[in-house]
Amino acid sequence: MQNELSQHDYLALDKQLLWHPYTSMSHPSPQFLVDSAQGCEITLSNGKTLIDGMSSWWSVIHGYNHPVMNQAIQTQLSQFSHVMFGGLTHKPAIHLAKQLIDMTPEPLQRVFFSDSGSVSVEVALKMAIQYWHTQGKADKQFFVTPRSGYHGDTFAAMSVCDPENGMHNLFTGALTQQHFISPPPTGVNSPVDPEYLAEIRHVLTENHHKIAGFIIEPVVQNAGGMRFYNPDYLNHIRSLCDEFDILLIFDEIATGFGRTGKLFATEHSNICPDIMCVGKALTGGYMTLAATLTNDKVALGISENGGVFMHGPTFMANPLACAAANASLSLLDSTDITETVAQLEDWLNQALSPCLSLDPVKDVRCLGAIGVVELHEPINLNDIQPKFVELGVWIRPFGRLIYLMPPYVISQQDVQKLGQAIHTILSQ
């Protein structure tokens, strides 16, 4: 069929048959047919080349078609592509678990693999509830989380996303009603607001007997608004969770593996969560894989009280995905990721700061390999996306945000082109 259909035919079939994420079947957003990708460039079927400013939803940190990543998958493919993880194990999974434990904070010593970031959050929430059940506190079934948070699109994950300003408010009646607090005040260097800590204390004081965990995206609330906040809030939240006997869960799916300038965003603080979720960049964007890490308190607390953890995805610890993840983490280990991302942060600041002078722009902010241009008004995606493509860049805004999360291997020249494209569009 590939030789029989034109680019136009493929796009027509796509429009007829495929339901893309966050778009309508009757009035779909425009789709662009990809022919190949290499490094930081995506080549469309019409021959047009785009500089990738998104790392394919923040996952392709080493760029596309990386020879080390390709070889790792090919080597594993020649041995076996998949075996069930119930009763069987394999070297790629064992090696990956060891790498993750070695690079995350020391208390995190146990790894549970799953298919995607959203499922890793489901796993974390189930772990927390089951832990308290085995401790004789079965009423602890609920969670506290800040508004403006995003943790995935599956049902339990949706329940801890912002219930009003997020994308899941239509499901409110079907979701578990969790306990929401205000979003952390913005500003990485802004002083900690004692009134915000008092709000958290009040919620925990009133409800700690039924709260299993506190879940938060450390330092950066990502899809909920690209909000950066002072890491010291995490230190205070850790203390409050300890005081009120509540498990602390960090969602590092978007922030992990260098994106905020540290290997993990938790490293901006002085503490460690009880449970941590990772995904997205885990495999360098090659395959879907996620992990939920926890400490011995939780893992053994469940297990030594006669409990088995009732979760087992079919493709859990898929060997091809684990091989890709091992290669990706080895690539990270071979570079000074802190220095690399610090340089990228400087480039993003230089590229995006001219946008501050434009009337539509409310704010420009950068942290690590994240650059954000916030507007006063929401963007029409269907209008703006083709304009970016015409300028030779791949940028996918949402809401009032035009943001960049490029691959770490991108050049300063390409970052500048991304910034120039944003400036050009907003100047029109």
Side-chain angles (χ1 to χ4, degrees):
M1 186 174 76
Q2 189 170 359
N3 295 326
E4 298 170 359
L5 298 181
S6 67
Q7 173 192 341
H8 180 270
D9 292 333
Y10 271 114
L11 289 173
L13 270 177
D14 179 281
K15 188 174 183 178
Q16 176 187 346
L17 303 175
L18 291 175
W19 201 343
H20 286 265
Y22 313 120
T23 192
S24 163
M25 283 294 290
S26 55
H27 299 92
S29 58
Q31 308 298 328
F32 302 90
L33 187 61
V34 176
D35 186 60
S36 63
Q38 181 72 41
C40 297
E41 293 184 341
I42 298 170
T43 301
L44 303 182
S45 58
N46 63 6
K48 191 168 188 63
T49 299
L50 310 178
I51 299 168
D52 178 24
M54 309 306 295
S55 301
S56 281
W57 272 333
W58 328 337
S59 62
V60 185
I61 55 176
H62 307 296
Y64 298 94
N65 214 10
H66 195 289
V68 173
M69 301 289 299
N70 291 357
Q71 185 59 57
I73 293 174
Q74 289 167 5
T75 299
Q76 181 58 45
L77 183 61
S78 68
Q79 297 170 351
F80 58 98
S81 61
H82 184 63
V83 292
M84 65 185 291
F85 211 57
L88 298 173
T89 191
H90 51 82
K91 293 176 184 177
I94 297 167
H95 183 48
L96 178 55
K98 180 68 164 58
Q99 284 207 85
L100 286 171
I101 287 168
D102 287 347
M103 65 172 41
T104 52
E106 185 175 351
L108 300 173
Q109 293 290 319
R110 311 288 174 160
V111 181
F112 190 96
F113 290 117
S114 59
D115 314 69
S116 68
S118 181
V119 176
S120 76
V121 171
E122 302 274 337
V123 168
L125 302 182
K126 287 176 69 174
M127 275 184 184
I129 291 171
Q130 187 167 347
Y131 169 76
W132 290 117
H133 185 85
T134 61
Q135 304 305 301
K137 298 181 179 181
D139 290 340
K140 292 169 83 71
Q141 297 271 332
F142 300 92
F143 295 88
V144 175
T145 190
R147 296 181 184 274
S148 296
Y150 174 79
H151 301 283
D153 296 338
T154 51
F155 259 71
M158 284 196 297
S159 78
V160 289
C161 295
D162 192 303
E164 295 169 4
N165 299 314
M167 60 184 77
H168 304 129
N169 57 343
L170 107 85
F171 300 101
T172 299
L175 299 175
T176 300
Q177 300 301 297
Q178 310 290 8
H179 299 272
F180 289 91
I181 57 173
S182 302
T186 55
V188 172
N189 298 312
S190 299
V192 169
D193 182 356
E195 291 186 8
Y196 182 67
L197 299 179
E199 178 187 348
I200 300 174
R201 174 175 289 278
H202 174 74
V203 171
L204 299 188
T205 299
E206 294 293 315
N207 303 285
H208 65 91
H209 61 284
K210 57 182 179 180
I211 293 174
F214 187 118
I215 182 168
I216 188 170
E217 299 160 277
V219 184
V220 181
Q221 290 184 294
N222 293 274
M226 294 294 169
R227 304 176 73 261
F228 307 159
Y229 62 89
N230 187 336
D232 196 30
Y233 282 111
L234 302 175
N235 298 319
H236 291 280
I237 291 168
R238 171 78 273 181
S239 296
L240 287 166
C241 285
D242 291 342
E243 179 181 346
F244 287 97
D245 215 13
I246 291 166
L247 297 179
L248 179 58
I249 304 168
F250 279 0
D251 177 350
E252 289 253 19
I253 295 161
T255 55
F257 308 107
R259 185 57 69 177
T260 67
K262 301 284 189 180
L263 191 56
F264 295 95
T266 184
E267 295 175 18
H268 291 282
S269 68
N270 300 316
I271 54 91
C272 176
D274 298 294
I275 303 173
M276 178 190 286
C277 303
V278 295
K280 286 194 181 293
L282 174 59
T283 68
Y286 265 66
M287 303 187 73
T288 180
L289 182 70
T292 307
L293 289 83
T294 191
N295 54 27
D296 280 349
K297 169 185 171 180
V298 173
L300 299 182
I302 291 172
S303 303
E304 291 180 350
N305 286 280
V308 295
F309 188 54
M310 297 302 293
H311 200 96
T314 302
F315 292 98
M316 176 180 181
N318 171 259
L320 290 177
C322 289
N326 283 319
S328 178
L329 298 189
S330 294
L331 286 171
L332 277 179
D333 191 52
S334 67
T335 61
D336 187 337
I337 192 62
T338 303
E339 181 179 337
T340 297
V341 175
Q343 183 180 60
L344 186 46
E345 181 178 339
D346 288 340
W347 294 349
L348 287 167
N349 270 310
Q350 293 171 32
L352 297 179
S353 58
C355 293
L356 269 173
S357 63
L358 302 176
D359 289 340
V361 176
K362 179 181 179 181
D363 185 35
V364 172
R365 52 187 180 270
C366 299
L367 178 67
I370 308 171
V372 182
V373 178
E374 182 176 354
L375 308 183
H376 293 287
E377 301 295 334
I379 298 158
N380 183 327
L381 179 65
N382 290 4
D383 175 62
I384 201 172
Q385 189 89 79
K387 293 178 180 178
F388 280 130
V389 170
E390 187 63 29
L391 291 174
V393 298
W394 182 249
I395 300 171
R396 189 168 177 83
F398 71 92
R400 295 185 295 112
L401 303 175
I402 302 176
Y403 71 97
L404 300 175
M405 282 193 178
Y408 301 160
V409 294
I410 197 169
S411 68
Q412 183 177 12
Q413 181 182 14
D414 282 350
V415 172
Q416 197 63 37
K417 288 179 181 178
L418 290 165
Q420 288 170 350
I422 295 172
H423 191 278
T424 297
I425 296 296
L426 295 179
S427 297
Q428 295 174 353

